[in-house]
Every structure is written in structure tokens, then in C-alpha cells.
């Protein structure tokens, strides 16, 4: 264990070790990011989208099409709220192309994706007729700029987090939108069930954010309009089962969660 672990966001070595087990969890004393110093990337092939996904969500990625597609349409509406431009969209970590398919159906044009899994890219090309480039984002060199870049639950898998954000910022046109989702520690799981949160923390997740942290960090990179939303609203993770069943508490929780982006995951929309 290295006592001088470096924060992947602000690069300071002033970090406190919170937990050392299957992951090494640190809190940055400067920017307050929570990061895993023993982060190890996985093989993001077919088994990742089948077994690993099934273990977490109870069904394979392909079987989860309807839910992912519905979520994609909601995200595209949020992008449209920030920008009227519907051309030149890149999805990073495009997986099987469900988001790109929804973008096409919503009238977005000039779509492209990059994805490390060959199976995913092949599926997207065959099923939706949208070409996805098979490549590793970290070594990929952009040859053009985009008006919209999206990355759903992608950034947390990378080792050099700040570098990835800078690379995306540089690949956006002025006024372009970056929309993404990430794990958040400003949510019921970390606040109330911390031990469970730590024990189930994936080995291949590098960094965890909070709404405040992500706003400040994106601001330092040059992003201007920054909006956060809760990635999911789960009152049952906050209240006891008895209170979680009462609609008054469920509604109150949903209201407050939406206002302050209190959630175990976070959606972020930012303009360059
Ligand atoms: Zn930091």
C-alpha cells in the first residue's frame, strides 16, 4: 500500500486511506473525491455484458434493452434541453449501441460510437446499421470534433480520470455538450449503508463523485453550464421498508433527491 496515493482528479497526494481490503479506498483532502487506488480494469467482452451484468441486474445487457432504451430517450431529452444541435454525436463506451439507436430514432444525425468490445460494435452495426469503432478510448486519437459527446457509466472505469475529461473537453466544439453518468457517494448507499457500499464496490471502478465535486471539477476544466440529476431514485435504500411503502415519504424523497441530486449514481450535463 502506497501512503502517498495521488488523487486521479486534482493530482494532490494529500489523501486519507478509508479502507484497505479488496479495494484501497482513499478520500482526497483537497477535492474530496473518493477513489480506489488498487483499481484494475476488467475484460469488457461478451462475458462482461452477460454474466457480470446479469449478476448485478438479474438479466443480460441484451435482455435489458427496453429499460436502457427508455433511459436513453430521457437522456436525449435532457441533452436537447441544453442544446438545439442534433448533429455530430459521439457515444464513448457505446456497448451494444442502444443509446445510438435511441438517438437515431429521436432525429439525431451524424452518429458515431467507440467501444472496446468487438461483439458490441458488431451487434450495433448489424442490428441498427450504425457503425461503432472498436478501440480503446485511452489510446484513441480523435481526428475530428463533436457537438455532443456522451459516456454512460464509462469514466469511472478509467485509471487516468482527469486525463480522460481533458481529452473529451478537447474533442468538443465550442458550445458542445458533454453528457455522462458516474457513481456518486452523495447517496443513500454510501451515507447509510457504508459497509455494504464498500464491500460491493467494483474492483474496476476508479473514482466516485458527488454533485458538488463534479460541478467544481468540470468548472476548473472550462465547462460552463453544468446540470446534475440523480441517476436513480430509490427511497427503499433510505427509509425502512415500512416508511418506504408510504407514498407521502416516497414522494418527499423523490422531490428532495431530484433537488439535490441525492443518489448512488449521478447524471451530468455540461456545456463547453
Ligand atoms: Zn483530489
Amino acid at each position: 500500500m502506497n501512503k502517498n496515493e495521488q488523487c486521479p482528479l486534482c493530482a494532490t497526494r494529500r489523501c486519507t486511506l478509508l479502507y484497505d481490503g479488496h479495494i484501497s479506498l482513499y478520500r482526497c483532502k483537497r477535492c474530496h473525491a473518493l477513489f480506489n487506488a488498487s483499481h484494475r480494469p476488467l475484460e469488457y467482452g461478451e462475458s462482461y455484458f452477460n454474466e457480470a451484468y446479469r449478476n448485478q441486474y438479474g438479466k443480460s445487457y441484451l435482455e435489458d434493452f427496453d429499460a436502457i432504451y427508455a433511459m436513453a430517450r430521457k437522456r436525449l431529452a435532457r441533452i436537447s434541453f441544453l442544446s438545439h444541435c442534433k448533429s455530430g454525436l459521439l457515444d464513448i463506451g457505446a456497448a451494444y449501441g442502444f443509446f445510438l439507436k435511441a438517438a437515431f430514432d429521436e432525429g439525431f444525425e451524424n452518429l458515431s460510437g467507440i467501444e472496446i468490445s468487438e461483439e458490441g460494435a458488431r451487434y450495433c452495426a448489424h442490428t441498427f446499421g450504425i457503425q461503432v469503432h472498436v478501440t480503446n478510448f485511452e489510446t484513441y486519437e480523435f481526428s475530428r470534433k463533436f457537438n455532443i459527446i456522451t459516456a454512460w457509466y464509462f469514466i469511472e472505469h478509467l485509471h487516468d480520470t482527469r486525463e480522460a475529461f481533458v481529452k473529451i473537453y478537447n474533442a468538443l466544439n465550442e458550445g458542445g455538450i458533454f453528457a455522462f453518468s458516474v457513481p456518486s457517494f452523495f447517496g443513500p448507499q454510501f451515507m447509510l449503508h457504508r459497509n455494504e457500499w464498500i464491500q460491493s464496490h467494483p474492483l474496476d471502478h476508479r473514482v466516485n463523485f458527488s454533485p458538488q465535486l463534479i460541478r467544481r471539477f468540470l468548472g476548473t476544466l472550462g465547462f460552463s453550464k453544468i446540470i446534475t440529476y440523480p441517476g436513480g431514485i430509490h427511497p427503499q435504500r433510505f427509509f425502512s421498508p415500512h416508511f418506504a411503502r408510504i407514498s407521502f415519504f416516497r414522494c418527499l424523497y423523490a422531490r428532495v433527491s431530484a433537488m439535490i441530486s441525492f443518489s448512488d449514481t449521478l447524471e451530468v450535463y455540461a456545456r463547453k
Side-chain angles (χ1 to χ4, degrees), residues 122-137:
R122 203 180 309 129
Y123 182 91
C124 183
H126 285 180
T127 315
F128 306 131
I130 302 168
Q131 293 303 318
V132 167
H133 193 60
V134 181
T135 186
N136 182 336
F137 169 79

Side-chain angles (χ1 to χ4, degrees), residues 62-77:
L62 285 176
E63 287 165 351
D64 209 12
F65 173 83
D66 289 345
I68 298 169
Y69 183 84
M71 176 77 78
R73 292 188 58 182
K74 202 168 164 185
R75 290 167 172 167
L76 288 157

Side-chain angles (χ1 to χ4, degrees), residues 22-264:
H22 76 294
I23 58 165
S24 303
L25 187 69
Y26 284 80
R27 183 191 292 279
C28 171
K29 285 184 181 172
R30 186 155 78 185
C31 77
H32 307 301
L34 279 188
F35 65 94
N36 171 19
S38 54
H39 156 262
R40 296 282 174 276
L42 299 177
E43 284 289 322
Y44 300 108
E46 207 168 343
S47 64
Y48 179 76
F49 289 103
N50 285 305
E51 288 118 67
Y53 194 89
R54 190 184 294 277
N55 287 341
Q56 201 172 348
Y57 302 104
K59 51 176 94 167
S60 78
Y61 191 82
L62 285 176
E63 287 165 351
D64 209 12
F65 173 83
D66 289 345
I68 298 169
Y69 183 84
M71 176 77 78
R73 292 188 58 182
K74 202 168 164 185
R75 290 167 172 167
L76 288 157
R78 288 173 172 172
I79 291 170
S80 299
F81 176 73
L82 265 186
S83 166
H84 296 304
C85 178
K86 289 184 120 182
S87 180
L89 182 153
L90 170 73
D91 189 29
I92 302 172
Y96 283 62
F98 297 174
F99 180 78
L100 289 171
K101 164 65 175 157
F104 176 82
D105 292 346
E106 291 294 320
F108 285 75
E109 295 173 332
N110 197 0
L111 305 173
S112 53
I114 61 178
E115 169 54 41
I116 202 163
S117 153
E118 272 183 42
E119 293 88 354
R122 203 180 309 129
Y123 182 91
C124 183
H126 285 180
T127 315
F128 306 131
I130 302 168
Q131 293 303 318
V132 167
H133 193 60
V134 181
T135 186
N136 182 336
F137 169 79
E138 285 158 300
T139 53
Y140 184 66
E141 287 182 22
F142 290 106
S143 56
R144 53 172 284 217
K145 292 197 175 193
F146 301 88
N147 293 320
I148 304 156
I149 297 181
T150 55
W152 309 110
Y153 298 116
F154 173 80
I155 294 272
E156 68 274 19
H157 295 272
L158 304 177
H159 192 268
D160 298 318
T161 319
R162 184 185 175 85
E163 207 174 283
F165 275 102
V166 170
K167 190 169 179 172
I168 289 168
Y169 182 84
N170 290 337
L172 275 173
N173 286 318
E174 281 305 317
I177 303 296
F178 180 35
F180 61 101
S181 51
V182 281
S184 172
F185 58 84
F186 183 65
Q189 210 61 9
F190 183 78
M191 298 292 178
L192 302 175
H193 313 283
R194 190 160 303 182
N195 195 40
E196 204 181 302
W197 185 91
I198 289 173
Q199 294 309 325
S200 62
H201 189 292
L203 292 167
D204 63 325
H205 282 193
R206 172 75 162 139
V207 67
N208 302 278
F209 298 85
S210 73
Q212 197 187 15
L213 162 63
I214 198 71
R215 275 194 220 105
R216 210 168 38 221
F217 175 67
L218 291 177
T220 65
L221 296 181
F223 284 99
S224 54
K225 180 94 176 163
I226 301 159
I227 302 175
T228 62
Y229 296 94
I233 291 176
H234 303 286
Q236 71 279 12
R237 294 179 190 171
F238 187 80
F239 295 115
S240 67
H242 170 70
F243 285 106
R245 276 194 293 270
I246 300 172
S247 67
F248 170 77
F249 289 111
R250 295 176 67 87
C251 292
L252 181 69
Y253 181 87
R255 273 275 180 91
V256 174
S257 170
M259 274 167 64
I260 60 174
S261 299
F262 182 73
S263 172
D264 300 317

